[in-house]
């Protein structure tokens, strides 16, 4: 509707829709994409240098001649932007005045100063066009008449508006439900899910499990007493093992539907092939070594492993240049799927969430996938790590299990952990602490791992404070 009052935005909406649809249809070759990315990269760098107080200082040596020579394969003349830069710069990071935005968001600020993330129409059109095109087949497979629930972290987060706009564009009704809000709560959310009924739900993996547990506690059967048959999960680490478990809990199709951040917006989204695909029309991607910052090449299987660095390719409120996300990824070299010809990506968790167990370094994603691979029917989990008197790291996995679903293979999980990490594993069934529900607000490690080998971190303290306020 708003585009009817802004002719430039209306024209941009049509242009972006046509571009993305042509790209998905395979009508862009490598040369077309390189030309597009090169032109947009030069525009964004010049725009940020000339308009952002932060980048005006950071890019002082980046002349027009340097910009004219920039291309996606060589960004060495551009410095990185970090999370600490965002925290320090605050509104000086913006390349447009706040009054140009249509809405204001901010990061959660649970582990540092919250940073402003306003969105202009240009921001929303670029990001939501990608999501609408990528999600069309996922949602369209169920036809019309759907009611999609949306559960987000707070009113200052973009979740509700973004998914709401995408569903509206695709012709689906939505219901925004914040179960952690005192005006809604879990009981009312479950009631609405049955009454409307909700057929699909955007939420975090932790929320999907928590809703299932609350339903079970109320004497309901998630698999039979709800119409929910599509779960669209985001906001937290989601390994294949956890995804399969959540699908079994609800007897629903489950997708890891979005990789994004409040500050950098959409980085990858699910397509009909159930993989997260990058958005190369609106972002430029690099993979670097998380310790040295040096570029990482692909392995023999055509994958790059390392920290994701992203540059936005549109002139929004706060375009970021070579932004170090702090996230570990495995990314394919190029798209090989007929669904979307864009590289696929697995998000492995934050670089500082990696764990070393008896000399083996492992990402949060791979560790979760390993530990949970033998189990189904659990509604929560927590990991405890300790070092015994002999200097051996030991792991204990606590599962909150629904006894009516499946049967856990404890012995198989123990053997796999020993085989792959030389680490003894014990498994117990009980109720993990409330801190496990804070993953989307803080981090996977702070929410899921009690590491008795180290002292309590600031992130764990922040997670404990959130859990205490919710209870």
């Amino acid at each position: 509707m708003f585009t009817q009052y802004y002719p430039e935005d209306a024209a941009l909406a049509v242009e972006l829709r046509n571009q993305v649809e042509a790209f998905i249809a395979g009508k862009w070759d490598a040369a077309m994409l390189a030309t597009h990315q090169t032109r947009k990269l030069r525009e964004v760098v010049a725009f940020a240098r000339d308009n952002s107080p932060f980048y005006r200082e950071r890019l002082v040596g980046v002349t027009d001649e340097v910009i004219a020579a920039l291309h996606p394969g060589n960004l060495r003349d551009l410095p990185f932007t970090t999370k600490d830069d965002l925290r320090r710069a605050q509104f000086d990071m913006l390349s447009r005045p706040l009054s140009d935005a249509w809405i204001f968001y901010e990061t959660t600020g649970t582990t540092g100063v919250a940073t402003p993330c306003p969105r202009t129409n240009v921001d929303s059109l670029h990001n939501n066009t990608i999501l609408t095109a990528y999600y069309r087949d996922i949602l369209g497979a169920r036809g019309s008449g759907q009611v999609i629930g949306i559960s987000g972290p707070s009113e200052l987060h973009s979740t509700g508006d973004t998914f709401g706009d995408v569903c509206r564009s695709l012709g689906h009704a939505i219901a925004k439900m914040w179960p952690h809000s005192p005006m809604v709560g879990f009981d009312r959310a479950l009631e609405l899910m049955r009454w409307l009924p909700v057929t699909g739900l955007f939420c975090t993996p932790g929320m999907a499990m928590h809703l299932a547990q609350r339903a079970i506690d109320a004497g309901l059967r998630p698999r039979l007493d709800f119409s929910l048959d599509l779960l669209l999960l985001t906001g937290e680490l989601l390994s294949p093992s956890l995804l399969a478990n959540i699908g079994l809990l609800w007897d629903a199709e489950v997708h890891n539907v979005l990789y994004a951040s409040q500050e950098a917006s959409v980085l990858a989204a699910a397509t009909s092939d159930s993989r997260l695909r990058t958005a190369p029309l609106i972002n430029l991607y690099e993979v670097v070594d998380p310790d040295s910052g040096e570029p990482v090449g692909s392995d023999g299987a055509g994958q790059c492993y390392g920290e994701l660095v992203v540059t936005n390719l549109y002139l929004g409120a706060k375009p970021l240049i070579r932004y170090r996300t702090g996230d570990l990824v495995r990314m394919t070299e190029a798209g090989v799927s007929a669904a979307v010809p864009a590289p696929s990506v697995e998000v492995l968790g934050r670089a500082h969430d990696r764990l070393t167990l008896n000399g083996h370094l492992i990402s949060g994603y791979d560790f979760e996938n390993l530990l949970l691979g033998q189990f189904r029917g659990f509604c929560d989990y927590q990991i405890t790590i300790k070092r015994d008197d002999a200097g051996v790291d030991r792991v204990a996995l606590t599962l909150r299990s629904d006894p009516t679903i499946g049967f856990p293979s404890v012995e198989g999980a123990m053997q796999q952990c020993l085989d792959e990490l030389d680490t003894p594993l014990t498994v117990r069934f009980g109720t993990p602490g409330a801190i496990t529900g804070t993953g989307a607000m803080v981090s996977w490690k702070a929410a899921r791992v009690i590491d008795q080998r180290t002292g309590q971190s600031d992130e764990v303290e922040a997670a404990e404070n959130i859990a205490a306020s919710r209870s």
Side-chain angles (χ1 to χ4, degrees):
M1 182 66 181
F2 75 88
T3 57
Q4 300 301 310
Y5 297 91
Y6 299 91
E8 289 185 2
D9 290 337
L12 177 61
V14 173
E15 178 187 1
L16 292 173
R17 183 197 63 195
N18 292 340
Q19 281 184 349
V20 173
E21 288 184 351
F23 178 76
I24 290 176
K27 297 179 181 179
W28 284 51
D29 59 20
M32 288 179 63
L33 181 60
T35 298
H36 170 86
Q37 290 182 327
T38 300
R39 176 171 58 85
K40 292 296 185 180
L41 170 66
R42 294 171 182 174
E43 288 178 0
V44 164
V45 172
F47 178 71
R49 182 200 61 182
D50 294 343
N51 294 282
S52 161
F54 169 81
Y55 281 120
R56 187 177 301 124
E57 180 178 345
R58 178 62 62 90
L59 301 178
V60 66
V62 179
T63 62
D64 289 345
E65 291 73 21
V66 171
I67 293 175
L70 284 175
H71 60 86
N74 183 14
L75 302 179
R76 291 297 189 93
D77 288 330
L78 302 177
F80 290 120
T81 303
T82 68
K83 292 181 184 291
D84 284 339
D85 289 332
L86 301 186
R87 295 186 183 107
R88 286 191 295 264
Q90 293 289 308
F91 287 93
D92 282 348
M93 188 67 67
L94 304 188
S95 292
R96 295 185 185 273
L98 185 60
S99 58
D100 281 2
W102 76 271
I103 195 165
F104 176 82
Y105 304 122
E106 66 180 16
T107 57
T108 58
T110 53
T111 57
V113 179
T115 60
C117 303
R119 301 280 199 276
T120 64
N121 290 338
V122 169
D123 291 289
S124 295
L125 285 170
H126 278 82
N127 287 276
N128 293 3
T129 299
I130 292 291
L131 295 184
T132 302
Y134 279 22
Y135 293 170
R136 178 186 288 120
D137 289 342
I138 295 174
L139 291 167
R142 284 162 175 74
S144 59
Q146 296 183 63
V147 177
I148 309 297
I150 302 173
S151 174
S154 76
E155 292 79 1
L156 286 173
H157 199 278
S158 59
T159 298
D161 294 321
T162 297
F163 291 141
D165 184 55
V166 169
C167 287
R168 186 176 187 180
S169 296
L170 293 173
H172 305 296
I174 64 165
K176 296 180 183 179
M177 304 178 299
W178 312 144
H180 285 297
S181 165
M183 296 299 292
V184 179
F186 280 87
D187 292 342
R188 179 57 175 159
L190 289 169
E191 185 178 54
L192 283 172
M193 288 173 65
R194 298 182 71 202
W195 176 51
L196 291 175
V198 168
T199 56
L201 179 64
F202 285 97
C203 67
T204 65
M207 178 60 72
M209 290 192 291
H210 198 168
L211 283 167
Q213 184 63 58
R214 293 295 289 259
I216 292 167
D217 291 344
L220 299 170
R221 300 162 297 176
R223 294 166 58 87
L224 298 176
D225 295 331
F226 293 81
S227 299
L228 188 65
D229 61 7
L230 179 65
L231 280 159
L232 304 157
L233 305 181
T234 185
E236 293 174 349
L237 200 66
L238 182 56
S239 67
S241 294
L242 186 60
L243 185 147
N245 175 72
I246 293 171
L248 182 67
L249 281 176
W250 288 97
D251 189 23
E253 180 181 325
V254 187
H255 291 270
N256 185 1
V257 78
L258 176 65
Y259 169 42
S261 70
Q262 190 81 305
E263 64 272 17
S265 295
V266 173
L267 302 179
T271 57
S272 57
D273 65 355
S274 298
R275 305 191 71 175
L276 283 173
R277 297 272 168 189
T278 58
L281 298 189
I282 66 170
N283 296 306
L284 187 62
Y285 302 89
E286 303 171 74
V287 180
V288 303
D289 182 277
D291 299 315
S292 69
E294 291 298 310
V296 173
S298 61
D299 60 18
Q303 288 188 329
C304 293
Y305 169 82
E307 181 185 353
L308 185 67
V309 176
V310 64
T311 298
N312 300 135
L313 297 180
Y314 50 93
L315 306 183
K318 188 179 68 175
L320 298 179
I321 298 170
R322 300 198 77 198
Y323 174 61
R324 294 190 63 161
T325 63
D327 296 328
L328 290 176
V329 299
R330 277 193 291 260
M331 183 180 293
T332 60
E333 284 184 306
V336 294
S337 167
V340 176
S344 65
V345 60
E346 288 181 307
V347 185
L348 309 179
R350 297 180 183 178
H352 67 248
D353 280 355
R354 290 175 294 177
L355 293 162
T356 300
L357 296 163
N358 296 314
H360 298 272
L361 182 65
I362 190 167
S363 70
Y365 177 94
D366 290 328
F367 192 40
E368 178 186 86
N369 197 44
L370 171 67
L371 292 186
L372 303 181
Q374 300 291 324
F375 301 101
R376 296 293 180 267
F378 57 89
C379 292
D380 203 1
Y381 81 92
Q382 193 166 46
I383 300 164
T384 302
I385 304 172
K386 66 179 181 180
R387 182 166 292 154
D388 65 20
D389 293 340
V392 176
D393 295 326
R394 294 179 174 273
V395 173
L397 174 64
T398 301
L399 295 169
R400 184 165 186 175
S401 185
D402 175 4
T404 66
I405 302 178
F407 187 82
S409 177
V410 175
E411 293 78 9
M414 293 169 64
Q415 190 61 50
Q416 279 194 330
C417 193
L418 198 59
D419 290 344
E420 297 195 25
L421 299 175
D422 298 318
T423 299
L425 170 69
T426 58
V427 181
R428 54 197 178 212
F429 298 92
T431 304
I435 195 174
T436 58
T438 66
M441 302 294 289
V442 185
S443 74
W444 169 84
K445 190 175 182 180
R448 296 291 180 185
V449 179
I450 301 173
D451 194 340
Q452 297 179 351
R453 303 170 301 174
T454 62
Q456 179 168 296
S457 67
D458 291 341
E459 285 197 342
V460 172
E461 183 178 354
E464 288 180 341
N465 289 337
I466 293 172
S469 67
R470 286 175 172 176
S471 61

